[in-house]
Amino acid sequence: MPICQSCDHHWSWKTTFKKAFSFKRRMKCPNCKEVQYASTKSMRKSGIIGLFPAPIIIFSSMVLKLNLGVTILVAILILMVITITYPNTLELSNEEEPLW
Ligand SMILES: [Zn+2]
């Protein structure tokens, strides 16, 4: 779980989930109210995790000749796993870091 770089407060899964899915890089710490940013490292990590499953789903549905319903179901399941585990990969930074 992310730790506030300002006050060392450990954000809960619920807090992180809510803040992360407001789709803003700026997130206020619930403890010290300081603005925190998703670190570049964690943004890259979540980008890779987010993009990685799509080609695998498409490829395996072609190889295994899965029907569309099964493919969609698998895609939804993977998306749910990514969504649920996303707060675990988030790291915070005091300053907005450039993406690259
Ligand atoms: Zn804090």
Side-chain angles (χ1 to χ4, degrees), residues 55-71:
I56 294 173
I57 295 165
I58 294 164
F59 182 74
S60 51
S61 73
M62 285 191 314
V63 170
L64 303 170
K65 297 196 189 329
L66 297 175
N67 67 40
L68 191 64
V70 175
T71 308

Side-chain angles (χ1 to χ4, degrees), residues 18-31:
K18 269 198 272 178
K19 293 192 185 290
F21 288 94
S22 63
F23 296 104
K24 287 178 199 144
R25 256 190 110 179
R26 285 168 64 99
M27 296 171 273
K28 240 186 212 170
C29 171
N31 190 47

Side-chain angles (χ1 to χ4, degrees), residues 37-51:
Y37 299 91
S39 75
T40 300
K41 201 177 129 200
S42 79
M43 293 280 286
R44 282 188 197 154
K45 226 191 281 176
S46 62
I48 292 165
I49 295 167
L51 291 175

